[in-house]
Amino acid sequence: MSPWVLGFANLAGTAFSVLVLWGVCSLNMPMLLVYSMAYGFFAVGWSALWSGFLRPLANGNLEATNTLLGLLLFTRGVGNILSAPLSTWLQDLSGKNVAKNFTKTAYAVMDARYGAMILFTGLCFALAAFFLLGAWCFRFTQQIARSRDQGVYTRIA
């Protein structure tokens, strides 16, 4: 199966599990367990797919593969460093403004202290899925144009 399809399904499934299963449905323990299983299934797989994405992007060039892996790990490190101040800011923001808007959902749990954080997390995954889908479509159209120019029609993954 194509790493593009797996990556999109992975990111879209994670976005769904955060925005819907955690944010809307997690008002009781069984639904919180369903969210935990879905998030654990989808979110963990993203890093495992990196090697699947690097191979076609680097075209067998070892130096390009190492550079791309380094960039992915660098962005993960930046995210790890920025997550504490960002989550603190989102938690402060949630307590002040968001509580009135989410009274019937899990976004309002603990006086809506985590509402903005849940929304931010889910929207980041949804945006990543959208960009991955756009990159996949761009690559698909490039391959179609290249094969049309060469007069050869091949399977496009």
Side-chain angles (χ1 to χ4, degrees):
M1 181 174 267
S2 169
W4 297 98
V5 174
L6 289 173
F8 177 75
N10 193 310
L11 291 169
T14 305
F16 175 80
S17 68
V18 170
L19 292 172
V20 176
L21 296 180
W22 185 16
V24 178
C25 300
S26 295
L27 292 173
N28 54 30
M29 185 56 90
M31 284 308 296
L32 190 60
L33 291 174
V34 169
Y35 155 73
S36 299
M37 288 186 287
Y39 184 80
F41 178 76
F42 286 114
V44 172
W46 179 242
S47 297
L49 290 174
W50 285 359
S51 62
F53 281 107
L54 293 179
R55 242 181 270 128
L57 290 175
N59 291 328
N61 183 346
L62 187 59
E63 186 176 325
T65 302
N66 289 335
T67 302
L68 289 171
L69 183 60
L71 285 172
L72 288 171
L73 291 170
F74 174 75
T75 59
R76 173 173 269 180
V78 169
N80 287 339
I81 291 169
L82 295 179
S83 65
L86 182 62
S87 60
T88 302
W89 178 73
L90 287 170
Q91 191 174 6
D92 292 342
L93 179 72
S94 291
K96 296 175 187 170
N97 302 324
V98 183
K100 298 172 201 90
N101 298 330
F102 298 123
T103 54
K104 300 287 185 199
T105 65
Y107 292 113
V109 171
M110 295 183 68
D111 297 325
R113 286 176 47 195
Y114 301 102
M117 202 176 318
I118 296 169
L119 277 174
F120 180 77
T121 303
L123 291 176
C124 281
F125 279 114
L127 190 63
F130 175 74
F131 279 124
L132 184 72
L133 184 63
W136 182 31
C137 290
F138 178 76
R139 178 186 160 145
F140 183 74
T141 57
Q142 292 295 320
Q143 286 182 341
I144 287 176
R146 197 174 319 126
S147 22
R148 192 174 337 142
D149 292 342
Q150 295 172 354
V152 178
Y153 295 95
T154 59
R155 182 182 175 274
I156 299 171

